[in-house]
Amino acid sequence: MVSEGDQEFHRKTFALDTIRAVPAGVVETLGTTFTILLANRVFQAGDMAKASLVAMPSLGLLLSLFVVQGVRRSGMSVNAMLALIFAVSGGGFMVASFAGDRFDVYLMGMTVALITVTLNIPLFSQIYRKHYPGSRRGSLFSTTAFLRKIFAIGAAALFGWMLTQSLDNYPILLWSYAGASFLMAVCVLFMDRVTLSKSRQVKLFEAFRHVSEDKPFRKMLISWMILGSGNLLCFSLFVEYISNKDYGFDFDENKISLITTIVPEFLFFVFVLVWGRLFDRMNFYVLRCLINVFFALGVLFYYLGDAEWCLFVGIGLHGVARAGGNVAWSLWVTKFSPAEHVAEYMSVHTFLTGCRGVIAPFIAFKLASEIGPAWVGGIGAGLIFIATAMLGTSVAQGVVTREP
């Protein structure tokens, strides 16, 4: 039973995270559309440079393993570290906004911003585990995600229109991202403090001991590695596929924003609350398999369809899947990990996500130039089905996860 004091605790965190949903939604448009769109249209960047930009957030996920260990060693609160990360990210966006026509300055600023913007995820998982009751965690998280997508859709539409008017407006986008990052830093500082047990020494890969000790956790990580590799291969090319005329499309900035951000974000917005409630009520293995099917179908429509409507159907299905994937990806460790070790479990998960995310864009761009995006889509969908089949054995055995 939740005490009155705990309820107040949850309400305060939820209120602040709801406010944070506004700037977080703005920043999310960067990864779905505008990083590559700016590289293509403003700087005419090459494939390796674009692959590097796509890989930067994944490098941040990889490095997040060490951030958690740094928090344990320093004794700094989770909140203070999160605020520092968001502040550094805002600084990176500010540097990039002064690039003018110099791609090297843009790349330098965006590298800092894109890496740091994903360092926060394991630490936020610890806040959600500490502040939200297990019976409502999925619902509370999905409600803020629902609000986040409203602002992501609005920001994408506005930014797409601004760039269509003039590509010289791109610094305004980057200033918006910087301001959003600073606002997120303020929000986490006002949340009640969350601390981790302080360690006298730091073993950088200490969190990986859980992989050898926890068999269900290990199986999920293997399945997720296969799933994520397939998904990231395809995701890396979503914008490139319809903005590069070499692949048969050459849409304007508004159309690209519509397809790659507004449509999937709208479907995310519509379905995320449903997925959040399913997370609280459904066997996690069944839920993960269902999400995977939507991902695979979306990829097949997007890359193998031969008409423009296939792009919309594919990206729409992917948006539905992304809504469920966001809930599952962000919270699944709370069903597997003891309370004190949520951040460590999540840091292993994000580290491995980062590993595949750093590599996948380079493979995707290379494969697309050699054998075409359709083959990349087919390979990606195949990997997703393999990962789903792995979890199907747990479903058949009636395995159920329970929060420790």
Side-chain angles (χ1 to χ4, degrees):
M1 184 173 180
V2 181
S3 70
E4 184 176 339
D6 285 340
Q7 288 177 352
E8 182 62 31
F9 200 55
H10 304 149
R11 281 195 293 266
K12 180 181 178 182
T13 299
F14 179 68
L16 288 165
D17 210 32
T18 299
I19 296 171
R20 191 183 70 90
V22 178
V26 172
V27 171
E28 280 191 8
T29 64
L30 188 71
T32 56
T33 300
F34 292 104
T35 299
I36 296 303
L37 185 56
L38 293 180
N40 262 336
R41 297 294 168 84
V42 177
F43 299 102
Q44 293 79 48
D47 284 350
M48 288 299 291
K50 288 181 287 190
S52 298
L53 286 168
V54 173
M56 287 303 107
S58 296
L59 181 57
L61 291 174
L62 189 155
L63 296 174
S64 64
L65 177 75
F66 311 119
V67 171
V68 174
Q69 296 304 315
V71 170
R72 283 200 178 278
R73 180 67 182 90
S74 67
M76 180 185 295
S77 72
V78 169
N79 308 60
M81 179 60 80
L82 282 169
L84 177 61
I85 289 169
F86 285 131
V88 173
S89 183
F93 288 128
M94 290 182 68
V95 170
S97 71
F98 294 110
D101 59 357
R102 291 188 56 183
F103 180 69
D104 57 338
V105 176
Y106 174 79
L107 181 62
M108 179 177 64
M110 292 301 287
T111 295
V112 172
L114 292 171
I115 289 174
T116 52
V117 83
T118 54
L119 283 175
N120 66 83
I121 293 172
L123 299 178
F124 257 111
S125 295
Q126 190 71 53
I127 287 179
Y128 294 139
R129 181 61 172 83
K130 176 73 173 178
H131 287 188
Y132 288 167
S135 61
R136 297 184 60 211
R137 191 172 296 126
S139 297
L140 291 169
F141 176 85
S142 64
T143 300
T144 56
F146 174 83
L147 296 171
R148 193 169 70 238
K149 291 307 170 183
I150 295 175
F151 294 97
I153 293 167
L158 176 61
F159 292 166
W161 174 81
M162 289 172 58
L163 291 178
T164 301
Q165 299 305 303
S166 174
L167 291 174
D168 291 336
N169 288 328
Y170 86 86
I172 300 175
L173 276 65
L174 298 174
W175 298 334
S176 300
Y177 294 134
S181 298
F182 295 136
L183 182 55
M184 287 192 286
V186 173
C187 288
V188 296
L189 286 176
F190 277 98
M191 292 179 183
D192 290 300
R193 283 182 60 196
V194 173
T195 57
L196 302 177
S197 299
K198 187 173 181 179
S199 301
R200 292 185 177 180
Q201 59 180 354
V202 175
K203 296 180 180 179
L204 293 181
F205 293 94
E206 174 69 12
F208 270 88
R209 76 182 189 278
H210 302 299
V211 180
S212 61
E213 297 170 357
D214 191 329
K215 184 177 179 180
F217 180 54
R218 183 168 64 250
K219 181 176 182 177
M220 278 299 304
L221 288 174
I222 295 170
S223 173
W224 220 300
M225 178 62 80
I226 298 170
L227 160 69
S229 297
N231 219 357
L232 286 166
L233 281 175
C234 302
F235 183 81
S236 299
L237 296 174
F238 276 169
V239 178
E240 176 72 7
Y241 182 48
I242 62 173
S243 64
N244 190 332
K245 61 184 179 181
D246 292 341
Y247 300 131
F249 300 100
D250 188 20
F251 297 136
D252 65 22
E253 289 77 10
N254 260 334
K255 188 70 164 288
I256 294 168
S257 178
L258 173 66
I259 294 173
T260 60
T261 297
I262 296 175
V263 170
E265 298 296 76
F266 176 75
L267 270 298
F268 186 114
F269 161 79
V270 170
F271 285 94
V272 69
L273 293 177
V274 176
W275 288 116
R277 281 155 181 74
L278 290 175
F279 178 86
D280 290 334
R281 294 167 175 78
M282 184 181 283
N283 180 331
F284 181 78
Y285 294 107
V286 175
L287 178 72
R288 183 67 258 185
C289 289
L290 183 59
I291 294 168
N292 291 359
V293 170
F294 277 98
F295 269 130
L297 291 176
V299 164
L300 290 173
F301 267 98
Y302 193 84
Y303 287 107
L304 301 185
D306 58 359
E308 188 174 317
W309 67 267
C310 293
L311 295 174
F312 283 93
V313 172
I315 205 69
L317 290 170
H318 201 272
V320 174
R322 198 185 298 168
N326 185 254
V327 175
W329 192 92
S330 301
L331 298 180
W332 75 279
V333 294
T334 66
K335 288 182 175 289
F336 286 76
S337 166
E340 171 64 18
H341 297 296
V342 168
E344 290 181 349
Y345 270 62
M346 190 63 178
S347 68
V348 172
H349 174 47
T350 55
F351 177 86
L352 294 175
T353 302
C355 288
R356 58 184 177 260
V358 167
I359 297 169
F362 295 97
I363 297 175
F365 276 88
K366 181 65 175 177
L367 286 176
S369 65
E370 295 289 337
I371 60 177
W375 277 100
V376 177
I379 292 168
L383 290 172
I384 294 170
F385 282 125
I386 291 171
T388 306
M390 283 187 61
L391 295 185
T393 60
S394 296
V395 175
Q397 295 166 4
V399 178
V400 179
T401 57
R402 290 184 175 86
E403 184 171 314

